[in-house]
């Protein structure tokens, strides 16, 4: 089974939404100490809806692709529905059928950071 | 080394696999597997307890491994060979049992920047408790230990030098004779983390005059969960045990116990009997080898890999890989690609290497990278393995560029 599909590699080379956001209403950071991946996530929420989402950071292809896909997915969603967006949902959007134990954290880093960002507000 | 590869049944099951991760754990030699199996099938019984024949045979086999280890390390006696679960446990025994009793506020323990976390964290724990200070000898840009700095960092307060014999990241070989000579000028003890070293050169603890030395069975072609701590008799005798239980006591009354003698006082509980017996077979396997031939082969592989990597402009190698002061392992990165992605893509192509900080985060901070890819050699590796790695690295680069 190939993990490194064209989609993942493309996103790793050309990440989406990787930018600072001065107008963010929600933000949180996360690190994955075992591999040095780090992410800072920004959301701009208005009337309970995510108007914009972006991230800054660095990491392996899986974590960069995950942050890209996640921020893309968030836009236009209602904040109270975000808790339902879980690992399985993210893997499905990224077209990853299975992920070994060593790599799961690369995928969930931005997801956990998102949940921190919305719970801290 | 074709005939040696045949001694590893793993490769019969995985003939196409390119295994370049022996610094992490080696494959197991057939005789070690057979010794474990024989114990379980024929003489399985607890040691030091039963009075029936198989229990006595099990005890003899198990205790016999101290005799093998004595020869393997040229230790003066089998009684100062302590069985452990591995290097980590051995180093923790030294830090906890020797360190707690002897280190006082302001005393210094000298380590190096390239230590594995298992020769780092135990000393941090003891330093916190005792008020001792940890010092770290730097490396030269080449990845060699900076011996001049080492000499300068030694002083009257240095009580212990705890140091790796061979870096698991850079493959840096340490001149242990020099280290011991320098340490003695200030009266410091020397503890060697030989986890990597034992697999790559024969060790003579008496010639080196080291005070403690620890290694793991699973990196010398033996089973996991077994290892050895060697210590000088007067030091081990004066140390308190760290774990209480069966086997480590001579007598127990309501409130107190009398410790058993060395080595048993450090071996509480039913040990990993099969693992120790398998480790014995692995040490015998290494002692049967022509070390000159093994090292010549390793040198060939190291030089081939170094040359090939030099030709790949997209690869950054850490340290100067020059035999014999560097051996066993080469760490590198593919520029612009995370080490985990490199290792995962190599893995998809049947090449097994390690990626990460290799339990040496401070060293990686010095290398200014959170993670690296490491290829490391065992006696079964071939030039074809090196070429397969290099070929797969080219594919990684194509994929990500
Ligand atoms: C240099 C070094 N020291 C210590 C260890 C720890 O060995 P173990 O995990 O077998 O206790 C390792 C293993 O990775 C090592 O490479």
């Amino acid at each position: 089974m190939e993990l490194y599909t064209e989609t993942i590699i493309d996103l790793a080379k050309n990440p989406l939404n990787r930018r600072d956001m001065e107008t963010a209403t929600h933000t949180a950071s996360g690190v994955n100490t075992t591999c040095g991946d780090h992410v800072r996530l920004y959301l701009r929420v208005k009337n309970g809806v995510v108007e914009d989402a972006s991230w800054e950071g660095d990491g392996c292809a899986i974590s960069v692709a995950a942050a890209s896909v996640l921020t893309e997915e968030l836009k236009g969603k209602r904040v109270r529905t975000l808790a339902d967006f879980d690992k399985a949902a993210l893997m499905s959007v990224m077209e990853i059928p299975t992920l070994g134990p060593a790599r799961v954290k690369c995928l969930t880093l931005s997801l956990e950071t998102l949940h921190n960002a919305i719970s801290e507000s | 080394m074709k005939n040696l590869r045949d001694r590893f049944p793993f490769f019969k099951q995985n003939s196409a696999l390119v295994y370049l991760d022996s610094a992490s754990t080696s494959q197991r030699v057939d005789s070690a597997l057979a010794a474990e199996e024989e114990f379980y099938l024929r003489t399985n019984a607890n040691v030091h307890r039963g009075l029936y024949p198989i229990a006595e045979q099990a005890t003899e086999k198990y205790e016999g491994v101290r005799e093998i280890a004595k020869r393997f390390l040229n230790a003066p006696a089998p009684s100062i060979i302590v069985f452990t679960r591995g290097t980590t446990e051995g180093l923790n025994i030294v830090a906890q049992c020797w360190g707690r009793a002897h280190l006082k506020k302001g005393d210094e323990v000298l380590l190096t920047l390239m230590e594995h976390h298992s020769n780092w964290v135990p000393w941090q724990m003891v330093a916190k408790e005792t008020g001792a200070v940890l010092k770290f000898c730097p490396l030269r840009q080449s990845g060699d230990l900076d011996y001049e700095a080492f000499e300068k960092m030694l002083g009257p307060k240095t009580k212990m030098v705890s140091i790796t014999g061979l870096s698991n990241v850079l493959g840096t070989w340490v001149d242990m004779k020099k280290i011991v000579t320098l340490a003695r000028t200030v009266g410091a003890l020397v503890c060697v983390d030989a986890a990597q070293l034992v697999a790559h050169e024969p060790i003579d603890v008496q010639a080196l005059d080291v005070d403690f030395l620890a290694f793991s069975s699973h990196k010398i072609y033996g089973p996991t969960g077994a290892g050895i701590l060697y210590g000088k008799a007067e030091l081990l005798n004066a140390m308190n045990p760290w774990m209480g239980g069966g086997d480590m006591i001579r007598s127990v009354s309501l409130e107190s116990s009398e410790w058993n003698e060395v080595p048993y006082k450090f071996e509480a509980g039913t040990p990993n009997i099969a693992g120790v017996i398998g480790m014995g077979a692995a040490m015998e396997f290494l002692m049967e080898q022509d070390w000159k031939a093994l090292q010549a082969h390793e040198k060939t592989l190291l030089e081939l890999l170094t040359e090939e990597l030099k030709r790949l402009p997209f690869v950054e190698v850490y340290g100067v890989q020059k035999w014999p002061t560097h051996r066993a392992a080469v760490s590198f990165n593919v520029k612009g690609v995370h080490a985990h992605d490199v290792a995962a893509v190599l893995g998809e192509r049947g090449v097994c290497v390690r990626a990460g900080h290799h339990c040496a985060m401070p060293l990686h901070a010095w290398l200014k990278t959170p993670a690296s890819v490491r290829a490391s050699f065992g006696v079964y590796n071939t030039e074809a393995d090196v070429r397969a790695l290099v070929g797969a690295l080219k594919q990684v680069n194509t994929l990500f560029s």
Side-chain angles (χ1 to χ4, degrees):
Chain A
M1 209 280 304
E2 288 257 329
L3 174 58
Y4 291 86
T5 56
E6 217 168 297
T7 321
I8 303 277
I9 301 242
D10 277 350
L11 285 169
K13 287 190 216 165
N14 305 299
L16 307 172
N17 310 314
R18 191 195 215 162
R19 56 185 154 79
D20 188 9
M21 194 193 294
E22 284 185 1
T23 54
T25 53
H26 296 63
T27 173
S29 299
V31 287
N32 189 343
T33 47
T34 53
C35 44
D37 292 357
H38 55 102
V39 63
R40 182 160 188 84
L41 202 75
Y42 305 100
L43 300 179
R44 188 172 67 243
V45 177
K46 201 170 172 190
N47 300 327
V49 175
V50 179
E51 275 193 344
D52 194 12
S54 72
W55 68 283
E56 288 182 297
D58 215 345
C60 66
I62 307 300
S63 76
V64 168
S68 298
V69 168
L70 179 68
T71 45
E72 200 62 9
E73 283 294 307
L74 294 179
K75 293 181 204 169
K77 282 212 164 65
R78 299 212 136 264
V79 173
R80 54 182 168 73
T81 66
L82 294 186
D84 300 336
F85 196 79
D86 61 4
K87 189 178 100 190
L90 185 57
M91 281 172 72
S92 139
V93 182
M94 291 174 75
E95 295 166 4
I96 297 176
T98 60
L99 201 57
R103 301 310 294 277
V104 164
K105 284 202 163 146
C106 310
L107 182 102
T108 54
L109 174 64
S110 49
L111 205 52
E112 280 165 11
T113 309
L114 164 71
H115 293 150
N116 287 339
I118 52 179
S119 68
E120 271 163 23
S121 57
Chain B
M1 299 285 130
K2 171 85 180 73
N3 49 343
L4 273 191
R5 196 174 170 92
D6 291 344
R7 296 282 311 269
F8 292 82
F10 173 87
F11 293 111
K12 295 200 177 82
Q13 310 295 324
N14 300 283
S15 54
L17 206 67
V18 174
Y19 189 78
L20 290 166
D21 197 20
S22 296
S24 194
T25 195
S26 63
Q27 296 304 331
R28 327 277 161 229
V29 67
D30 55 5
S31 52
L33 296 172
E36 273 197 303
E37 189 175 6
E38 185 179 277
F39 163 73
Y40 280 132
L41 296 183
R42 293 181 201 281
T43 60
N44 180 62
N46 212 331
V47 290
H48 307 145
R49 289 169 175 83
L51 297 171
Y52 40 90
I54 57 163
E56 286 175 346
Q57 285 163 26
T59 304
E60 267 169 31
K61 262 271 177 204
Y62 174 81
E63 285 299 321
V65 177
R66 288 190 221 274
E67 199 51 61
I68 298 171
K70 167 189 175 292
R71 283 189 282 121
F72 186 62
L73 298 174
N74 190 33
S79 59
I80 49 178
I81 300 294
V82 180
F83 293 145
T84 63
R85 285 184 296 134
T87 314
T88 303
E89 184 176 319
L91 295 171
N92 272 277
I93 291 175
V94 178
Q96 291 294 329
C97 305
W98 178 87
R100 266 202 197 146
H102 293 92
L103 292 173
K104 293 185 297 293
K105 197 169 181 331
D107 282 348
E108 292 174 5
V109 177
L110 183 50
L111 311 172
T112 79
L113 196 62
M114 61 183 163
E115 297 312 315
H116 188 277
H117 293 165
S118 66
N119 193 30
W120 198 299
V121 183
W123 293 109
Q124 281 180 334
M125 291 163 67
V126 176
K128 214 166 231 166
E129 272 181 43
T130 59
V133 179
L134 304 185
K135 298 219 151 177
F136 303 97
C137 179
L139 305 180
R140 297 203 189 107
Q141 216 45 48
S142 59
D144 283 308
L145 192 71
D146 187 336
Y147 292 94
E148 277 115 59
F150 182 86
E151 192 168 357
K152 285 196 195 116
M153 293 177 90
L154 286 166
K157 288 188 181 156
T158 316
K159 294 290 179 291
M160 170 64 83
V161 172
S162 193
I163 183 168
T164 185
L166 184 63
S167 159
N168 61 315
V169 179
L170 299 172
T172 305
W173 178 85
V174 171
D175 186 344
M176 206 51 72
K177 275 211 173 116
K178 194 161 167 171
I179 294 294
V180 174
T181 308
L182 290 172
R184 295 299 181 236
T185 62
V186 297
L189 300 184
V190 177
C191 170
V192 184
D193 169 359
Q196 297 295 334
L197 187 66
V198 270
H200 298 276
E201 80 177 20
I203 288 177
D204 183 332
V205 288
Q206 294 190 77
L208 292 173
D209 191 33
V210 295
D211 298 287
F212 296 103
L213 183 136
F215 67 90
S216 308
S217 156
H218 73 98
K219 294 188 204 273
I220 57 161
Y221 314 111
T224 54
I228 277 170
L229 170 68
Y230 158 84
K232 283 190 178 159
E234 64 272 24
L235 295 169
L236 291 176
N237 284 330
M239 280 155 55
N240 275 323
W242 70 296
M243 189 158 68
D247 250 14
M248 56 73 70
I249 37 78
R250 186 168 286 139
S251 64
V252 178
S253 62
L254 283 185
E255 260 112 40
S256 66
S257 306
E258 194 186 326
W259 308 145
N260 202 341
E261 64 196 1
V262 171
Y264 306 106
K265 83 176 165 189
F266 299 110
E267 298 175 358
T270 297
N272 179 4
I273 307 168
V276 166
I277 290 172
M279 169 169 69
M283 287 188 281
E284 283 189 316
F285 163 73
L286 277 180
M287 284 191 280
E288 284 156 15
Q289 301 311 313
D290 172 355
W291 275 97
K292 278 216 167 79
L294 287 188
Q295 291 182 340
H297 179 62
E298 193 182 314
K299 177 171 186 272
T300 307
L301 296 185
L302 184 88
E303 285 173 351
L304 177 65
L305 179 56
T306 315
E307 280 310 305
E308 291 288 332
L309 290 181
K310 259 187 211 151
R311 286 202 207 123
L312 305 182
F314 53 86
V315 168
E316 180 181 6
V317 176
Y318 298 107
V320 178
Q321 299 297 324
K322 210 164 179 325
W323 184 275
T325 50
H326 287 87
R327 44 177 96 169
V330 179
S331 288
F332 56 90
N333 266 314
V334 172
K335 289 174 194 163
V337 186
H338 194 284
H340 282 183
D341 293 323
V342 176
V345 174
L346 292 179
E348 285 180 349
R349 282 155 179 74
V351 178
C352 307
V353 296
R354 171 112 190 243
H357 51 60
H358 319 301
C359 298
M361 287 177 93
L363 175 59
H364 278 81
W366 182 74
L367 294 171
K368 296 191 174 62
T369 177
S372 62
V373 183
R374 177 187 69 194
S376 57
F377 301 125
V379 294
Y380 30 67
N381 285 119
T382 62
E383 292 182 36
D385 290 339
V386 173
R387 295 211 165 85
L389 167 65
V390 172
L393 280 173
K394 289 178 187 162
Q395 293 178 12
V396 169
N397 187 52
T398 313
L399 195 62
F400 281 92
S401 60

